[in-house]
Amino acid sequence: MPANPSVPAKPPISARVWGMLLILSLLWGASFFFARIAVAEVPPLMLVLLRVSIAAASLHFYLSLKGEWRTFRQQPFAPFLLLGLLNNAIPFSLLFAGQTELGAGLAAVLNALVPFWTVIAANRFTSDEKITAGKLLGIALGVTGAAIIIGPGAVSGLGAPLWAEMAVVGAGISYAFAAIYAKRFKGVPPVAIATGQLTASTLIMLPLAFVVHGAFNPFVVSPEVWTSVLSLALFSTALAYILFFRIIASAGATVVSLVTLMVPASAVFLGVVFLGERLAAGELIGMAFIGFGLMTIDGRLSGLFTQQK
C-alpha cells in the first residue's frame, strides 16, 4: 500500500528513541524472569495487583520527593481509568486467560503482532501515522524473527481452543488502542501519566484479584519471590512505563509498539548474560530478521538501497 502523499514522510527514528526502545525491551524482557519466579508462590491476578500497586506507590513517592505531585493531581482522573483499563487490566487479564490453554511460545508470537494492530488502528484514528508498505513488511519480518527465536514452541499451541488464541490477540489489540489513546496526554509529563495509569490499574485490579483469589497472606511469600515481585514492579513496570510514555510523546504509537518485536531477542540476551544460556544459531537468525524488520519500518533499509542506486 503506498504512502499517503498528503502526509509528509517522517524522518528515521532518532538514536535517542532507539536507545529508549532497547532499554524498554530489556526491562520487559526481564519481566519474564521475575514473573516466572514470582508466580510459583503468588496467584496470577494477585501478582498483577502487586505489580501495579507497588509501581504506583513508588511513583507517587517519587513525585512527592521531587515536589511534582501536583503535576499528577492537576490531571482529570477519568482518562487514566480508561488508559489503565486498555493498557493493563484488559490485556493482562486476557493474556492470563489465553495462556491457561496456549503454549507460551504461541502466546508470545501472537503478542508480537501488537505493531500490526497498532498500524491498523493508527491508520484509522490518527492523521500522522498512516500505513505504508515498509511498515507492513517490517512487521512481517519482525514477527517471523520472533517466531524463529521461540522455535517449535511458536506453533505447539495451534490445536488450542480458538477462544484462547483470540484472547491473546484481543490483548494485543487492547495494547494498540492504549498506545493511540495515550497520545491524548500530550504535554503531560511521562511520570505523571505512568502514575495515573498505574493508580487506575490498581483500583481496577483490587476487587478482581480478591474476588478470584481471595485474601492474600504476604508473610508466606519467600524473600526470593518478594525480590522478584519488587523488581517486576519497580523496574519492569514503574520505570518501564515512564519510558513507554516518553517514547509515545517523542515518536508516536506505532514506534512504541515495536518494542514487542524486540522483547524476545532481549529475553534471549538476558538469558545469555545472566543465566549462562548458550546462544543458538536459530536465535541469531531470528535476531537478524528482527533487525532487518526494524530497519525496514524505520526507513533506513530502503534508504540504503536508494543511495546505492
Side-chain angles (χ1 to χ4, degrees):
M1 183 179 297
N4 187 343
S6 64
V7 179
K10 287 191 173 184
I13 302 169
S14 69
R16 176 175 169 272
V17 171
W18 276 122
M20 289 192 291
L21 277 170
L22 178 59
I23 295 171
L24 182 58
S25 73
L26 290 169
L27 290 171
W28 279 347
S31 71
F32 291 103
F33 297 99
F34 300 142
R36 187 186 305 166
I37 296 170
V39 80
E41 297 181 20
V42 182
L45 292 184
M46 190 61 68
L47 179 59
V48 173
L49 174 60
L50 289 173
R51 177 180 184 177
V52 297
S53 61
I54 294 171
S58 70
L59 290 178
H60 278 287
F61 177 73
Y62 173 80
L63 287 175
S64 299
L65 201 64
K66 298 277 289 184
E68 298 175 0
W69 196 66
R70 185 176 296 180
T71 61
F72 163 70
R73 287 293 300 140
Q74 288 174 339
Q75 310 303 320
F77 193 67
F80 287 133
L81 283 170
L82 181 55
L83 184 61
L85 192 68
L86 290 172
N87 215 20
N88 292 145
I90 289 176
F92 287 176
S93 300
L94 287 175
L95 283 170
F96 165 67
Q99 286 177 323
T100 60
E101 296 286 347
L102 289 181
L106 180 58
V109 171
L110 292 175
N111 192 54
L113 290 171
V114 170
F116 174 75
W117 305 124
T118 305
V119 165
I120 297 297
N123 185 71
R124 174 65 178 83
F125 296 106
T126 72
S127 60
D128 59 341
E129 298 190 48
K130 298 302 182 181
I131 291 178
T132 66
K135 286 180 180 179
L136 294 178
L137 175 59
I139 291 167
L141 289 170
V143 173
T144 300
I148 292 172
I149 288 174
I150 292 164
V155 295
S156 63
L158 286 177
L162 180 62
W163 70 262
E165 296 175 5
M166 290 300 98
V168 177
V169 169
I173 294 173
S174 186
Y175 280 133
F177 279 100
I180 293 168
Y181 182 70
K183 295 179 69 173
R184 79 179 303 278
F185 294 92
K186 185 177 181 180
V188 180
V191 179
I193 305 173
T195 304
Q197 174 196 276
L198 292 166
T199 301
S201 300
T202 300
L203 295 176
I204 295 168
M205 293 303 303
L206 189 62
L208 183 61
F210 280 98
V211 166
V212 173
H213 298 306
F216 173 68
N217 182 0
F219 298 104
V220 301
V221 177
S222 66
E224 179 188 18
V225 167
W226 269 121
T227 299
S228 294
V229 170
L230 290 173
S231 299
L232 185 63
L234 298 177
F235 300 111
S236 298
T237 308
L239 178 57
Y241 274 115
I242 292 172
L243 283 172
F244 177 87
F245 293 117
R246 189 161 289 166
I247 295 167
I248 287 179
S250 300
T254 301
V255 171
V256 79
S257 71
L258 300 181
V259 73
T260 60
L261 298 178
M262 301 168 68
V263 165
S266 293
V268 169
F269 172 78
L270 290 169
V272 170
V273 173
F274 294 104
L275 301 179
E277 296 177 351
R278 304 180 74 175
L279 194 60
E283 291 168 338
L284 286 172
I285 294 171
M287 288 179 182
F289 267 86
I290 291 172
F292 280 120
L294 295 174
M295 290 174 66
T296 302
I297 294 168
D298 185 26
R300 294 178 194 269
L301 198 60
S302 59
L304 288 175
F305 286 120
T306 302
Q307 289 176 6
Q308 288 177 356
K309 289 179 180 179

